């Protein structure tokens, strides 16, 4: 695939893990594998200067960047999407979806490897199989990252500042169209970063003093990227720079010494220029945007500043006109608008899907269930044993379909749920669930144990769904001859509240534990255990909506412990 850096670099296959150029980081656990940190780029000092010069680090979240990371998540179908910037000793996130925290150490950043080749999109299909990342705590730790793809954010002068990246918890690959989309999104981020820098400079320029204006006038003789001109109080051009002449496609003598209205045309001067230029001549800095048609450059969006120039007595002696070409910015704004339209279209499609589940599919299922119930209650004795057996198949199949629709509706509605975080008393919630599950416990001879527990920060209605799913599974997946017991406990730390739901059931084999949270994943046939295969997927999605995570530890024939990790100080994250 052209333009993609994929799997393990050639140098890994020829040299030992510690000989790839980067130092090897030894983590605190002596049994944990070593982790290779990325080499430092040859232009690191200049790269950092370029990054710090943008003034973007540690700024507040901005919708334009969040929209781009949301689009990357949708296009690639991953739970995590980030816009990262690699600083001297940290990786800082300008935007993040599905990942907790504002930054990580640079040593563990996948993107610190991606920026080493600015022209390539780095794709690692299985992080656990790449020697660069096997010891990385993001791979071997609770996050359990498995897939990474990152498109470097490269400035016009060739510095890779970070990446637009996606992360998945399972090994996978990307289609060429998805890789190309990541590359285009990183290009948009690079343009946005430059725009933010220009906006900051513009604000500073607006508040500059008259001395600053005079310094700008003196510097006009040098070449610059902006179009610049000096106009005296008679509205005559006295100086223009090379950029102005390049755009206008003319010689200096064709402009200098001529009236403004001669150059721009009487009608345009009267309707657009005259009033603004007069305000600037009166001492007011004037700023506006317009579309200009240049002989050499064609139609361009420009941002114009008219800056009064004063003498030592404070009198206005002329105006400096500076025109900044923002055509690329306008084009990127148009791209972003298209992105928003795509996201809104996705929302409408989801709403239509929910309507189909809620009404169009539910109605025939209800009809089947209602009439099969009538057949069972009124005519079962009239049927032959074979017909009764067939009728039971229809009845159980209709019930399974109803349960599946209910779970699927819960799952797709999560994205639109407004998460409301408040203290929740787990003991009270579990008492309510025990009442709900009394029939199941009586039928299976099981019980649920939950002593008084500390409060946790969560959305109570969503937490109820998680605990009910986990408790029901713990009771249902019991070992033969062993009464099922489910225990619920809360563990608190400075950063997280961990809710442990432990059972003494059949357990889960180690090679199946990584994918039990996948959609429609079933490890047993319906003859042994009923279910839709959506319960644990719903639980994990609710955890992510809280900015947390869901993990499992299990041993076959001993039981399982599912842990819901909730931030102690939650920053709610909405999945898009």
């Amino acid at each position: 695939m052209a333009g993609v850096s994929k799997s393990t670099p050639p140098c890994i296959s020829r040299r030992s893990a510690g000989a790839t150029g980067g130092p090897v980081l030894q983590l605190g656990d002596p049994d944990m594998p070593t982790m290779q940190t990325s080499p430092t780029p040859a232009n690191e000092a200049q790269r950092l200067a370029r990054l710090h010069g943008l003034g973007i680090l540690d700024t507040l979240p901005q919708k334009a960047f969040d929209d781009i990371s949301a689009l990357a998540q949708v296009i690639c179908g991953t739970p995590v999407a980030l816009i990262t910037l690699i600083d001297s000793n940290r990786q800082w996130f300008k935007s993040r979806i599905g990942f907790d925290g504002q930054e990580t150490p640079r040593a563990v950043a996948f993107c610190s490897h991606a920026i080493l080749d600015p022209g390539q999109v780095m794709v690692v299909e299985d992080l656990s199989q790449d020697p660069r990342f096997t010891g990385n705590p993001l791979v071997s730790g609770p996050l359990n990252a498995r897939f990474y793809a990152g498109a470097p954010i490269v400035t016009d002068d060739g510095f890779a500042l970070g990446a637009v990246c996606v992360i998945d918890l399972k090994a996978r690959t990307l289609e060429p169209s998805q890789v190309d989309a990541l590359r285009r999104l990183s290009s948009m981020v690079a343009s946005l970063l430059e725009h933010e820098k220009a906006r900051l400079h513009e604000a500073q320029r607006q508040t500059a003093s008259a001395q600053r204006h005079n310094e700008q006038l003196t510097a006009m003789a040098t070449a610059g990227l902006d179009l610049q001109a000096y106009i005296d109080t008679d509205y005559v051009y006295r100086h223009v720079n090379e950029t102005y002449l390049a755009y206008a496609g003319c010689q200096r003598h064709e402009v200098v010494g001529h009236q403004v209205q001669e150059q721009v045309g009487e009608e345009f001067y009267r309707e657009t220029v005259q009033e603004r230029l007069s305000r600037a001549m009166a001492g007011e800095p004037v700023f506006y945007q317009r579309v200009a048609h240049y002989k050499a450059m064609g139609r361009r969006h420009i941002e114009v500043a008219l800056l009064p120039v004063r003498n030592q007595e404070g009198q206005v002696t002329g105006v400096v006109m500076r025109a900044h070409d923002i055509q690329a910015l306008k084009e990127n704004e148009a791209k972003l608008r298209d992105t928003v339209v795509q996201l809104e279209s996705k929302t409408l499609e989801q709403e239509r899907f929910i309507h189909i589940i809620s009404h169009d599919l539910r109605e025939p299922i209800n009809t089947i269930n209602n009439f099969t119930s009538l057949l069972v209650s009124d005519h079962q004795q009239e049927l032959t044993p074979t017909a009764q057996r067939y009728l039971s198949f229809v009845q159980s199949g209709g019930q399974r379909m109803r349960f599946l629709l209910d779970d699927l509706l819960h799952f797709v509605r999560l994205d639109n749920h407004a998460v409301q975080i408040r203290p929740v008393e787990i003991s009270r919630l579990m008492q309510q669930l025990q009442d709900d599950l009394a029939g199941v416990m009586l039928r299976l001879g099981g019980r649920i144990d939950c002593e008084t527990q500390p409060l946790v920060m969560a959305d109570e209605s969503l937490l109820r769904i998680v605990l009910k799913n986990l408790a029901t599974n713990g009771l249902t997946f019991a070992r033969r001859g062993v009464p099922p017991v489910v225990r619920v406990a809360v563990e608190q730390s400075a950063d997280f509240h961990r809710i442990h739901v432990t059972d003494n059931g059949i357990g889960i084999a180690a090679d199946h534990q990584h994918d039990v949270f996948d959609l429609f994943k079933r490890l047993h046939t319906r003859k042994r255990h009923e279910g839709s295969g959506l319960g644990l997927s719903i639980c994990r999605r609710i955890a992510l909506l809280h900015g947390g995570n869901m993990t499992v530890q299990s041993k076959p024939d001993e039981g399982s412990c599912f842990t819901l990790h909730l931030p102690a100080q939650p920053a709610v994250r909405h999945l898009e």
Side-chain angles (χ1 to χ4, degrees):
M1 184 187 302
V4 179
S5 173
K6 194 172 181 182
S7 69
T8 306
C11 62
I12 298 297
S13 63
R14 293 197 300 266
R15 298 192 291 180
S16 65
T20 60
V24 175
L25 178 64
Q26 181 69 44
L27 299 181
D29 186 352
D31 295 327
M32 184 174 289
T34 56
M35 179 183 70
Q36 300 178 20
T37 57
S38 66
T40 301
N43 61 351
E44 180 68 355
Q46 297 90 334
R47 191 192 69 83
L48 289 175
R50 187 73 166 86
L51 173 62
H52 295 160
L54 291 174
I56 195 69
L57 291 174
D58 300 311
T59 56
L60 294 174
Q62 292 173 271
K63 186 176 184 300
F65 292 94
D66 289 341
D67 284 344
I68 291 177
S69 56
L71 185 58
Q73 183 195 38
V74 170
I75 291 173
C76 297
T78 59
V80 179
L82 306 166
I83 296 177
T84 71
L85 296 171
I86 304 300
D87 202 356
S88 56
N89 58 4
R90 62 171 176 158
Q91 172 183 237
W92 182 78
F93 305 124
K94 178 59 183 170
S95 176
R96 66 191 193 278
I97 294 177
F99 193 94
D100 190 45
Q102 190 63 56
E103 63 184 43
T104 69
R106 180 170 175 172
V108 304
F110 304 143
C111 294
S112 65
H113 294 266
I115 66 172
L116 297 176
D117 193 352
Q120 304 290 326
V121 177
M122 188 177 95
V123 176
V124 184
E125 296 179 354
D126 191 343
L127 293 162
S128 66
Q129 301 301 314
D130 192 315
R132 295 171 294 176
F133 307 115
T134 50
N136 192 303
L138 299 180
V139 177
S140 58
L143 180 62
N144 201 31
R146 284 295 176 268
F147 171 80
Y148 168 87
I153 300 168
V154 184
T155 62
D156 291 341
D157 45 357
F159 293 103
L161 307 181
V164 174
C165 71
V166 293
I167 298 173
D168 208 335
L169 305 184
K170 58 185 178 183
R172 53 170 294 181
T173 186
L174 291 182
E175 297 295 331
S177 60
Q178 293 173 309
V179 174
D180 185 63
L182 274 183
R183 184 185 294 108
R184 291 174 183 272
L185 290 176
S186 70
S187 177
M188 292 173 64
V189 171
S191 298
L192 281 174
L193 292 176
E194 293 293 349
H195 170 56
E196 285 301 302
K197 178 182 177 182
R199 185 182 62 80
L200 177 62
H201 287 175
E202 184 65 23
Q204 294 171 345
R205 187 167 64 85
Q206 290 181 25
T207 59
S209 65
Q211 180 62 37
R212 173 63 174 166
H213 295 160
N214 285 324
E215 292 173 356
Q216 291 175 337
L217 178 61
T218 303
M220 276 184 53
T222 62
L225 296 177
D226 289 343
L227 291 75
Q228 299 181 46
Y230 175 59
I231 303 168
D232 66 16
T233 52
D234 294 324
Y235 292 40
V236 173
Y237 285 102
R238 293 303 177 189
H239 181 86
V240 293
N241 69 348
E242 294 297 332
T243 304
Y244 185 102
L245 297 174
Y247 271 66
C250 62
Q251 300 296 316
R252 191 177 302 276
H253 69 270
E254 297 178 77
V255 180
V256 175
H258 294 269
Q259 293 277 336
V260 174
Q261 57 266 39
E262 294 179 34
Q263 296 296 312
V264 302
E266 290 288 345
E267 182 178 359
F268 182 76
Y269 174 78
R270 184 173 60 255
E271 295 178 355
T272 304
V273 176
Q274 185 176 20
E275 185 269 337
R276 292 185 172 96
L277 189 55
S278 296
R279 285 162 51 196
M281 290 295 182
E284 175 190 353
V286 177
F287 305 90
Y288 64 98
Q289 294 182 7
R290 71 180 181 89
V291 176
H293 296 269
Y294 292 102
K295 181 179 179 181
M297 300 295 291
R299 183 179 183 272
R300 311 291 293 180
H301 281 84
I302 61 171
E303 192 172 55
V304 181
L306 301 175
L307 306 175
V309 178
R310 302 175 185 271
N311 59 20
Q312 294 182 351
E313 289 75 31
Q315 298 171 332
V316 176
T317 59
V319 169
V320 171
M321 186 282 297
R322 169 177 280 179
H324 181 61
D325 190 333
I326 56 172
Q327 182 66 28
L329 171 64
K330 291 296 184 180
E331 291 172 354
N332 286 332
E333 288 177 349
K335 293 178 182 178
L336 285 177
R337 285 194 295 271
D338 292 342
T339 298
V340 172
V341 170
Q342 293 179 35
L343 292 174
E344 291 175 345
S345 175
K346 171 181 166 59
T347 301
L348 291 175
E349 291 174 1
Q350 186 183 62
E351 290 296 331
R352 287 194 292 269
F353 182 58
I354 291 174
H355 180 82
I356 290 172
I357 295 175
S358 301
H359 302 282
D360 299 352
L361 288 179
R362 190 181 295 277
E363 182 179 354
I365 295 300
N366 288 339
T367 300
I368 293 172
N369 289 335
N370 291 337
F371 278 99
T372 52
S373 296
L374 288 174
L375 284 172
V376 170
S377 62
D378 297 344
H379 302 285
Q380 186 172 19
Q381 300 305 319
E382 303 170 15
L383 301 176
T384 66
T386 300
Q388 291 181 20
R389 181 167 171 263
Y390 292 163
L391 180 60
S392 70
F393 290 160
V394 175
Q395 188 175 32
S396 61
Q399 292 296 329
R400 285 199 304 271
M401 192 63 185
R402 181 173 65 84
F403 293 147
L404 175 61
L405 289 179
D406 288 341
D407 285 347
L408 190 57
L409 195 58
H410 274 135
F411 185 81
V412 297
R413 279 178 170 168
L414 286 176
D415 283 345
N416 298 325
H417 183 90
V419 180
Q420 298 179 352
I421 302 297
R422 54 175 57 92
V424 178
E425 186 180 349
I426 293 293
S427 304
R428 176 182 57 82
L429 190 58
M430 289 308 302
Q431 183 60 53
Q432 296 173 1
L433 289 177
Q434 288 185 64
D435 295 339
D436 294 345
L437 299 174
V440 177
M441 290 189 291
L442 181 63
R443 176 169 55 86
L444 298 175
R447 74 175 193 270
I448 298 176
D449 294 340
C450 182
E451 300 177 356
T452 301
Q453 302 293 335
L455 297 177
V456 298
M457 299 299 294
D459 182 304
E460 182 167 343
S461 63
L462 295 181
L463 183 57
R464 181 186 180 90
I465 294 173
V466 173
L467 293 176
K468 185 174 183 180
N469 267 311
L470 296 179
T472 302
N473 285 352
L475 294 170
T476 303
F477 292 91
R479 288 177 284 163
R480 286 189 177 182
V482 179
V485 178
V486 176
R487 294 184 174 85
V488 179
V490 176
E491 173 192 356
Q492 290 186 324
S493 66
D495 298 326
F496 281 90
H497 295 161
R498 297 174 178 86
I499 304 174
H500 304 289
V501 180
T502 307
D503 63 61
N504 63 341
I506 59 177
I508 304 169
D511 55 348
H512 291 306
Q513 293 178 18
H514 68 282
D515 56 7
V516 294
F517 299 105
D518 291 347
L519 283 172
F520 303 110
K521 188 66 177 181
R522 294 179 53 86
L523 303 182
H524 307 277
T525 65
R526 290 190 177 92
K527 289 184 178 180
R528 293 183 58 188
H529 299 285
E530 288 289 343
S532 65
L534 278 170
L536 291 178
S537 297
I538 292 173
C539 293
R540 182 178 67 174
R541 199 161 183 84
I542 290 174
L544 294 175
L545 281 170
H546 282 78
N549 195 16
M550 175 75 73
T551 59
V552 61
Q553 293 180 330
S554 183
K555 290 184 178 179
D557 297 325
E558 292 187 17
S560 303
C561 177
F562 287 87
T563 301
L564 176 62
H565 305 259
L566 298 177
Q569 299 294 329
V572 175
R573 181 175 294 102
H574 294 281
L575 299 179
E576 299 181 6

